[in-house]
Amino acid sequence: AERTFVGIELGVQSFDDDQLVWMRRGHTAAAAIKGIERVAAAGLDVGVHLIFGWPTENDKQIKETALLCNSLPITNVKLHNLHVLRGTPLEELYAKGEFSPIELEPYSDRVGLFLDHLSPRIAVHRLAALSSRWEELVAPAWTRHKMKSYQAVIDRLRTNGQFQGRSFTQTS
């Protein structure tokens, strides 16, 4: 890092401990924050991956996630929608009707809420996940279509008058 740019992306996925336990991530929100701070203190560029679409997720959590990101030494985020892949415990829950993946419109609304409160200093590298292994994707079907999904999120943001930093203040 002393000679060239080094960027690290951390798969935090959520800063909510209940969501992290549900997804069996193996780390806590506090551990993720500590890791982010340690990597940044070493002089490395830090980005985080976040997933939206958890079963118990709500607007307050989305806003709090943006505010927490603003307070952390990160330079970028990549947003993902929670989707079901074959051969995973999530597929079992989906098959039993115990989990329904987020649809594109509500996902887009969550992205908009997050972006509204996200500092303009944080680059957004991705708005939605693409299932790179189509044969493994169970649901939702919209995850197959990268540009269609991306455009739908952009269109929803425009319709709602949302943009990154719209509700951001230095004290938020």
Side-chain angles (χ1 to χ4, degrees):
E2 293 174 2
R3 290 174 285 166
T4 189
F5 173 82
V6 177
I8 303 291
E9 295 181 4
L10 300 174
V12 173
Q13 314 314 2
S14 176
F15 289 106
D16 181 278
D17 284 331
D18 290 336
Q19 292 168 350
L20 293 169
V21 168
W22 184 83
M23 193 46 108
R24 303 177 188 162
R25 290 294 302 164
H27 66 84
T28 63
I33 292 167
K34 184 177 179 181
I36 291 165
E37 291 170 343
R38 288 182 68 194
V39 171
L44 304 176
D45 184 85
V46 182
V48 297
H49 291 233
L50 298 170
I51 293 177
F52 295 158
W54 303 96
T56 60
E57 187 174 77
N58 60 53
D59 288 354
K60 181 181 177 202
Q61 290 170 323
I62 297 293
K63 180 180 174 183
E64 287 173 353
T65 298
L67 298 178
L68 180 57
C69 286
N70 295 342
S71 72
L72 294 171
I74 64 171
T75 62
N76 64 85
V77 297
K78 286 187 178 177
L79 305 180
H80 301 254
N81 51 287
L82 184 57
H83 55 273
V84 182
L85 297 176
R86 291 198 199 294
T88 64
L90 190 55
E91 181 188 23
E92 294 172 23
L93 293 177
Y94 177 75
K96 293 181 203 172
E98 296 175 10
F99 172 76
S100 296
I102 192 166
E103 293 299 329
L104 182 53
E105 190 172 296
Y107 175 79
S108 299
D109 289 340
R110 293 204 177 132
V111 170
L113 180 61
F114 177 80
L115 292 178
D116 273 349
H117 296 280
L118 186 67
S119 169
R121 78 165 175 81
I122 299 173
V124 179
H125 289 184
R126 182 180 298 137
L127 294 175
L130 169 70
S131 175
S132 59
R133 299 176 300 240
W134 286 9
E135 70 280 358
E136 293 180 21
L137 179 66
V138 175
W142 64 266
T143 301
R144 291 183 187 274
H145 309 287
K146 180 178 183 177
M147 294 314 295
K148 187 177 177 182
S149 299
Y150 171 80
Q151 191 61 52
V153 172
I154 295 296
D155 291 346
R156 187 81 174 163
L157 293 171
R158 285 186 180 139
T159 297
N160 292 338
Q162 294 175 296
F163 55 88
Q164 185 175 349
R166 180 177 74 152
S167 300
F168 171 78
T169 62
Q170 290 295 347
T171 59
S172 62

